[in-house]
Amino acid sequence: MSSDGKLESSPLILYPVSTDTMETTMCYEAVVPHWFYARTQDGRDIWNPFSKEDSDKLEAAFCSGVNPNSIVVPVCGGRYDVYLGSRRCLSVYWDEEDSVVQRCSWFYKGDKDSRYIPYPENFSEILEDAYMQAVTQNEWKKRLESPSRDLIILHNPKLMVHYQPTGLTDEWGATPTEQGRPRTVKRGVENISVEIPQGEPEQIDHLVFMVHGIGPACDLQFRSIVQCVNDFRLVSLNLLHAHFKKSLDGGQIGRVEFLPVNWHSALHADATGVDKDIQRITLPSICRLRQFTNETLLDLFFYNSPTYCQTIVDTVCGEMHRIYRLFLERNPTFKGRVSVTGHSLGSLILFDLLTNQVDPTGSPAHKAKASVQGSESRTNKKSLKDILKELEVEDLGAVFERERMGIDGLVLCSEQDLKNLGIPLGPRKKIIEYIKHRTHLQDTNCPPMETSPNPELTPPPLTSGTTFNMVNYEYFDVGIGQVRINYPQLSFHPEIFFAWGSPIGMFLTVRGLKRIDPKYQFPTCKRFFNIYHPFDPVAYRIEPMVLREEEFEPMLIPHHKGRKRMHLELKEGLTRMGTDLLGSLRVAWQTFTRPPVPTLPPPTTEAAELPVSELPPVTETPPVAAGEDVPVNEDPAALDVGMLNGGQRFDYVLQEKPIESFNEYLFALQSHLCYWTSEDTALLFLKEIYQTMGVSMDQPLQ
């Protein structure tokens, strides 16, 4: 190493070599080691390389001369720490089995091996010394015996083999022989077929928490939330280099960090004892199916139980607090914002959590809403005149004054009583709805939820039990039907809430919600996206709950390479062609079947003598082309779907793949789990996140 701590390249040693296989001058250069880590999979260690940047950091620390037992090197974007002395790699934000780390320079591969396996560090040094002597002294066909009594033969720089001993050795320690099919031996990572991952920029612009759905597995390969988030992070990095290259090269942006939030382990841990209780009552038949049901589908029922719903919500909020605090400690220069993502049931958990947040700024939009008790207390203090004015029927005040009727008498009236008073149908319906609402509030009189330890903060604007918006009876409250638990407050305000394959719309409908107020926003989150695959059996739309009067399509997520998929464009073209053809045939058939027009009689003498200016004007009907009977739709992005996404559209649908369009039932389950590796979804994430920072893609997608 040089004085400034940089690694220096080893000097070249030139030796003339004249053999049967090589007649040119050879040079020896010390091998460049690369650092690997091992993950256990199916009982075997799978060796994966670190990125070049991480490997260089580990090599610089190794060559620094400092006691390795005191060196800890953060790798993989700071999500793991490598303890150099013990050669262990530990995860930072989640629980995971430690990985073995190794400085690798020599590798071997057998017939049944899918990838090259590194030799131990000490034996790699022996192989390197033997290789250096063979090159410098021109002495090939060297034989070396490994600690496991395997035989390695260096025939020449291009041919090195590894023989395993066949049979048991005797008590005299017989020497291994060249029997069996040899393994291939390679020197240096550049000579083996391995994909070295791309390094991650050190600058972090945005943090995204990702909450999983039901069950411990998140995809068809039964992988954990950590593995699936790793895949999504890798996809986003590749898209960042492809679509934000100018901003990335110019130093305007770094990367987006995605971190998993696991609540399933806490729910099914020994502390709750729920798994043991369920196991006691589980039937012994069809064991695997029942086990799958207990581990996955029962999470839906647990979430609707006040006891376990409290555990789930506390775990999600507590994990995000813990990870966020740890993230800030490890990234003290981070100045970005935070967003949240939920898949399946995880999106519903985040939706309920965000609807019960308290806006500390006290914005007017959220002050207009009130809790159950506040609504009821204000209602009790209002006079009959105030109620009639709120219902926009204040002209009926004289009728109730004549009958000497107050609020208490009004709530006892039936529809027939109001009809006998001569009240018209429209105002009568409004009064009946008010009476039902007031009765419901009295029946659901419950203590307010303590969502914050600060007594100065008002209760959340949307609480469980609320049925109607007291300002406008056309809308229900989003908080209706939620489980009555203590919803904790987040220590940050999410910038964007992304929902994948979400059943939010279905749950809101089942809870009794008829319509979402267009003015409604999450108290602390201004943006929301409902992303789904068209064949996802769990996903539901939400925009029709805001705009009920119209039928409209969701926003189509562009393909990450631009345009629509070819089969969708072909399908639309054939549909338009079929519509035009049917229109032309209809016009031709109407012309053919139209009865003949009778011949008009010749004009009379008086009509013939009239000047042209005095003749009645003839109204010409403009020709209607075939296929123009359907009105042209407006720009779908211009629809007013409320403020849930800041006045913009929030239902976004992915484009199905060509093979998926052949049988949507066959790919239904896969469609619900496709988001973790979807380039289109990841690009939408990056586009919306960086738009908040004023950064656009290099080329907008069509």
Side-chain angles (χ1 to χ4, degrees):
M1 291 183 59
S2 60
S3 59
D4 57 356
K6 296 183 179 180
L7 294 176
E8 297 180 348
S9 59
S10 302
L12 299 181
I13 305 176
L14 302 179
Y15 293 93
V17 179
S18 177
T19 64
D20 296 337
T21 58
M22 304 182 64
E23 298 181 355
T24 58
T25 301
M26 287 189 58
C27 62
Y28 170 78
E29 184 177 0
V31 65
V32 178
H34 196 94
W35 289 76
F36 281 64
Y37 63 94
R39 292 277 173 82
T40 302
Q41 183 177 347
D42 298 331
R44 300 182 59 185
D45 288 340
I46 305 299
W47 289 90
N48 301 289
F50 285 104
S51 66
K52 186 179 185 304
E53 292 79 1
D54 288 341
S55 180
D56 290 345
K57 287 195 299 183
L58 291 169
E59 185 66 17
F62 176 79
C63 299
S64 63
V66 181
N67 183 7
N69 292 324
S70 62
I71 298 178
V72 179
V73 181
V75 295
C76 300
R79 297 179 298 275
Y80 292 88
D81 283 338
V82 172
Y83 290 78
L84 205 61
S86 59
R87 296 291 199 272
R88 310 294 294 183
C89 182
L90 280 67
S91 60
V92 174
Y93 298 108
W94 53 82
D95 293 332
E96 184 179 312
E97 186 178 356
D98 298 351
S99 301
V100 179
V101 176
Q102 187 171 303
R103 183 173 180 259
C104 306
S105 55
W106 284 75
F107 307 85
Y108 69 90
K109 178 183 177 182
D111 292 337
K112 297 181 180 180
D113 296 327
S114 59
R115 60 180 68 191
Y116 280 90
I117 302 173
Y119 285 104
E121 290 187 35
N122 54 356
F123 189 67
S124 295
E125 294 178 359
I126 297 175
L127 289 173
E128 182 65 20
D129 291 340
Y131 179 85
M132 181 183 65
Q133 293 178 10
V135 172
T136 57
Q137 299 176 10
N138 192 21
E139 295 178 357
W140 292 101
K141 298 189 180 297
K142 281 185 170 291
R143 295 170 175 260
L144 293 94
E145 186 174 335
S146 69
S148 58
R149 298 189 58 79
D150 292 0
L151 182 64
I152 294 93
I153 303 178
L154 309 181
H155 290 285
N156 58 58
K158 301 296 183 181
L159 179 59
M160 295 174 283
V161 293
H162 178 158
Y163 289 96
Q164 291 181 285
T166 57
L168 299 176
T169 59
D170 55 21
E171 58 182 357
W172 303 100
T175 304
T177 58
E178 301 178 26
Q179 297 181 6
R181 193 173 183 86
R183 295 172 172 176
T184 303
V185 178
K186 294 293 183 181
R187 174 180 179 267
V189 70
E190 65 277 2
N191 293 319
I192 65 174
S193 56
V194 62
E195 182 179 357
I196 297 178
Q198 193 173 27
E200 303 179 27
E202 293 186 2
Q203 176 186 338
I204 300 177
D205 304 318
H206 203 90
L207 175 63
V208 180
F209 290 113
M210 312 192 82
V211 182
H212 65 86
I214 61 174
C218 295
D219 63 0
L220 291 177
Q221 302 176 21
F222 297 97
R223 297 186 303 167
S224 66
I225 175 68
V226 174
Q227 294 171 306
C228 291
V229 172
N230 288 342
D231 275 357
F232 192 81
R233 186 187 304 108
L234 179 61
V235 170
S236 70
L237 282 174
N238 294 334
L239 292 172
L240 200 64
H241 288 275
H243 294 275
F244 294 85
K245 185 173 178 57
K246 293 181 181 178
S247 301
L248 194 62
D249 294 342
Q252 291 181 269
I253 62 175
R255 63 182 174 92
V256 179
E257 180 62 282
F258 299 91
L259 296 178
V261 177
N262 185 359
W263 55 265
H264 184 272
S265 300
L267 175 64
H268 294 267
D270 294 337
T272 62
V274 63
D275 284 355
K276 294 181 179 179
D277 296 338
I278 292 294
Q279 190 61 37
R280 290 192 191 98
I281 60 176
T282 301
L283 301 183
S285 58
I286 51 175
C287 300
R288 293 189 177 181
L289 180 58
R290 295 187 190 277
Q291 181 181 0
F292 173 78
T293 303
N294 292 345
E295 291 181 351
T296 55
L297 299 182
L298 285 187
D299 288 345
L300 292 171
F301 300 98
F302 287 143
Y303 185 69
N304 287 284
S305 163
T307 301
Y308 297 109
C309 180
Q310 186 72 65
T311 301
I312 294 173
V313 172
D314 287 345
T315 302
V316 170
C317 189
E319 276 292 287
M320 287 194 289
H321 286 172
R322 180 188 66 83
I323 296 174
Y324 186 52
R325 184 171 57 252
L326 186 57
F327 176 82
L328 293 180
E329 291 176 0
R330 297 176 63 87
N331 300 274
T333 60
F334 176 73
K335 303 298 181 183
R337 303 297 301 273
V338 183
S339 295
V340 292
T341 302
H343 175 237
S344 189
L345 181 61
S347 64
L348 181 65
I349 297 171
L350 290 175
F351 185 89
D352 290 343
L353 188 61
L354 291 178
T355 56
N356 287 278
Q357 296 299 293
V358 175
D359 184 11
T361 61
S363 62
H366 300 120
K367 283 185 176 180
K369 287 194 173 282
S371 62
V372 180
Q373 293 74 24
S375 300
E376 185 178 359
S377 62
R378 287 195 304 269
T379 303
N380 291 333
K381 294 179 182 178
K382 290 180 180 178
S383 64
L384 178 61
K385 185 177 180 180
D386 295 332
I387 297 298
L388 295 179
K389 185 177 180 180
E390 187 177 278
L391 297 177
E392 299 179 352
V393 291
E394 59 269 17
D395 55 326
L396 300 178
V399 177
F400 293 104
E401 288 180 3
R402 185 177 66 247
E403 300 293 334
R404 297 181 179 180
M405 186 181 297
I407 295 179
D408 296 335
L410 178 65
V411 297
L412 297 176
C413 290
S414 64
E415 187 171 2
Q416 185 62 38
D417 295 333
L418 297 176
K419 186 176 182 181
N420 294 337
L421 292 176
I423 298 177
L425 178 62
R428 191 164 69 237
K429 289 295 183 181
K430 290 185 178 181
I431 296 174
I432 290 297
E433 287 298 323
Y434 168 77
I435 294 173
K436 291 180 181 179
H437 171 50
R438 181 184 174 88
T439 304
H440 176 81
L441 287 180
Q442 293 174 349
D443 294 339
T444 58
N445 186 14
C446 58
M449 296 182 302
E450 296 295 335
T451 58
S452 176
N454 188 353
E456 297 180 358
L457 294 178
T458 58
L462 300 175
T463 56
S464 70
T466 305
T467 305
F468 281 89
N469 182 336
M470 290 298 296
V471 179
N472 191 334
Y473 294 98
E474 187 180 5
Y475 303 112
F476 285 84
D477 200 332
V478 177
I480 184 175
Q482 290 179 349
V483 182
R484 294 176 182 175
I485 62 171
N486 297 325
Y487 286 94
Q489 298 296 301
L490 294 173
S491 59
F492 56 87
H493 291 177
E495 181 77 13
I496 309 176
F497 170 28
F498 297 97
W500 292 350
S502 174
I504 291 175
M506 181 269 292
F507 268 85
L508 293 180
T509 302
V510 171
R511 289 172 176 177
L513 182 68
K514 297 296 183 183
R515 186 170 184 175
I516 299 177
D517 190 340
K519 298 179 181 179
Y520 176 71
Q521 274 185 316
F522 294 117
T524 59
C525 182
K526 309 306 180 187
R527 304 292 306 278
F528 170 67
F529 288 89
N530 180 35
I531 303 170
Y532 62 92
H533 191 283
F535 302 154
D536 190 339
V538 182
Y540 289 83
R541 293 191 63 186
I542 303 178
E543 285 179 343
M545 300 186 70
V546 180
L547 194 62
R548 296 173 60 95
E549 295 80 9
E550 298 185 27
E551 297 247 347
F552 55 96
E553 295 294 325
M555 296 292 291
L556 187 67
I557 299 178
H559 190 262
H560 65 281
K561 294 184 179 179
R563 300 180 60 86
K564 292 183 180 179
R565 294 184 184 269
M566 184 178 297
H567 71 287
L568 293 180
E569 291 189 347
L570 181 61
K571 183 178 179 180
E572 289 183 359
L574 293 176
T575 302
R576 287 195 300 267
M577 185 185 302
T579 302
D580 295 343
L581 181 60
L582 289 176
S584 301
L585 292 176
R586 188 185 303 114
V587 172
W589 176 258
Q590 291 174 353
T591 304
F592 180 75
T593 57
R594 183 182 302 163
V597 179
T599 305
L600 296 177
T604 60
T605 306
E606 293 80 1
E609 294 177 354
L610 287 174
V612 177
S613 59
E614 296 184 9
L615 291 177
V618 179
T619 304
E620 294 185 0
T621 304
V624 179
E628 290 187 358
D629 52 342
V630 181
V632 179
N633 293 330
E634 299 179 356
D635 182 12
L639 284 174
D640 183 11
V641 291
M643 296 302 296
L644 200 56
N645 189 29
Q648 302 179 19
R649 299 287 303 274
F650 52 86
D651 276 352
Y652 279 76
V653 60
L654 291 167
Q655 302 180 38
E656 72 271 17
K657 297 178 181 179
I659 191 174
E660 294 173 344
S661 60
F662 286 108
N663 191 327
E664 54 192 53
Y665 292 95
L666 186 62
F667 293 94
L669 180 59
Q670 178 179 335
S671 300
H672 182 59
L673 305 172
C674 71
Y675 308 98
W676 301 106
T677 56
S678 170
E679 293 95 341
D680 301 347
T681 303
L683 186 58
L684 179 64
F685 268 58
L686 297 176
K687 173 177 172 290
E688 296 298 332
I689 287 174
Y690 279 113
Q691 269 189 354
T692 63
M693 301 170 55
V695 178
S696 302
M697 294 191 299
D698 296 341
Q699 295 290 336
L701 298 178
Q702 300 296 330

